[in-house]
Amino acid sequence: NAGVMQNPRHLVRRRGQEARLRCSPMKGHSHVYWYRQLPEEGLKFMVYLQKENIIDESGMPKERFSAEFPKEGPSILRIQQVVRGDSAAYFCASSPQGGNEQYFGPGTRLTVT
Amino acid sequence: LAKTTQPISMDSYEGQEVNITCSHNNIATNDYITWYQQFPSQGPRFIIQGYKTKVTNEVASLFIPADRKSSTLSLPRVSLSDTAVYYCLVGAGTTDSWGKLQFGAGTQVVVTP
């Protein structure tokens, strides 16, 4: 059973461009979470999704950030008009049901130049 | 969400037992206590979870006193590969915390030969 997959692993964008981060949860997991880890900081919750539904987006910045988890395909975290402050590691996690036991992917390291 | 307090760092030698205590004075009745491990440039890895008394798995033990205001993660006979950051989290007991992991600064454990 493959683990949580994220791609790309590294992403470089210039200021103003869009970044799309993909997450494929573990097989059988319908709950997906996104977290962000800024340099030298801890992980911060961003959003919690189930298939086709956003359950909790209280950690998402109000502008430029959006997330989806369609019926088919991976979950997408989209960042529009990136700025240097968006440079961070973005981790996706999944679980078969909600709760504290989550399985994390290897992360996508976004660098904004 | 209950706030947690844990030591910033701990040093140990190979073969020793490492005990990390986490304080969570405001833990709610339905909250669980969960520990994660994170290596540099990787996503966190679930270690263990418990509600009360003692939980043991192949990796660690978790001790929770009756008042549940603290918990201790015990890593038996650590090796160099146990050098990592260890996070203590509480939650997933109420609807508004369901799935929203709140990571603190964690404890940096360094194991030396």
Side-chain angles (χ1 to χ4, degrees):
Chain A
N1 188 5
V4 176
M5 300 179 70
Q6 292 188 247
N7 66 81
R9 294 291 308 276
H10 300 274
L11 182 62
V12 179
R13 285 286 179 267
R14 290 199 175 114
R15 279 182 299 170
Q17 291 184 320
E18 178 180 287
R20 283 191 178 228
L21 288 63
R22 297 175 197 78
C23 168
S24 296
M26 287 181 70
K27 186 176 181 180
H29 289 193
S30 59
H31 299 246
V32 166
Y33 318 83
W34 286 92
Y35 295 84
R36 176 167 66 173
Q37 188 166 32
L38 294 167
E40 307 304 321
E41 292 188 19
L43 290 100
K44 303 296 183 186
F45 167 83
M46 298 182 75
V47 62
Y48 166 26
L49 311 103
Q50 291 185 45
K51 282 291 187 180
E52 300 184 275
N53 291 307
I54 297 175
I55 306 302
D56 183 342
E57 57 181 347
S58 58
M60 288 275 275
K62 293 291 185 285
E63 298 177 351
R64 303 186 297 109
F65 285 72
S66 63
E68 63 177 7
F69 188 17
K71 186 176 180 181
E72 301 291 338
S75 174
I76 306 287
L77 178 67
R78 181 183 179 204
I79 311 172
Q80 295 179 290
Q81 300 175 323
V82 296
V83 300
R84 289 220 172 102
D86 296 332
S87 294
Y90 292 82
F91 292 97
C92 168
S94 74
S95 69
Q97 56 191 20
N100 278 2
E101 187 172 351
Q102 300 176 13
Y103 298 84
F104 282 76
T108 293
R109 274 143 192 87
L110 172 65
T111 302
V112 179
T113 60
Chain B
L1 296 175
K3 182 179 176 181
T4 60
T5 303
Q6 52 184 121
I8 294 174
S9 64
M10 296 183 73
D11 295 329
S12 180
Y13 292 105
E14 277 191 297
Q16 289 188 328
E17 178 180 82
V18 172
N19 296 305
I20 309 171
T21 296
C22 177
S23 298
H24 28 78
N25 292 317
N26 297 323
I27 189 169
T29 303
N30 295 330
D31 281 344
Y32 283 75
I33 300 155
T34 312
W35 287 80
Y36 279 81
Q37 174 193 57
Q38 187 179 26
F39 298 112
S41 301
Q42 294 186 27
R45 182 176 77 107
F46 172 88
I47 299 177
I48 197 167
Q49 177 171 277
Y51 182 80
K52 61 180 180 180
T53 61
K54 177 183 175 182
V55 180
T56 298
N57 61 23
E58 65 278 6
V59 176
S61 294
L62 178 59
F63 299 91
I64 305 169
D67 67 5
R68 304 199 330 121
K69 293 184 183 301
S70 67
S71 59
T72 299
L73 176 72
S74 180
L75 305 172
R77 298 179 298 281
V78 293
S79 64
L80 298 178
S81 62
D82 292 316
T83 294
V85 178
Y86 293 82
Y87 296 98
C88 166
L89 300 92
V90 294
T94 60
T95 303
D96 64 354
S97 68
W98 192 251
K100 185 192 302 183
L101 296 183
Q102 190 172 29
F103 288 85
T107 297
Q108 173 68 63
V109 172
V110 176
V111 181
T112 53

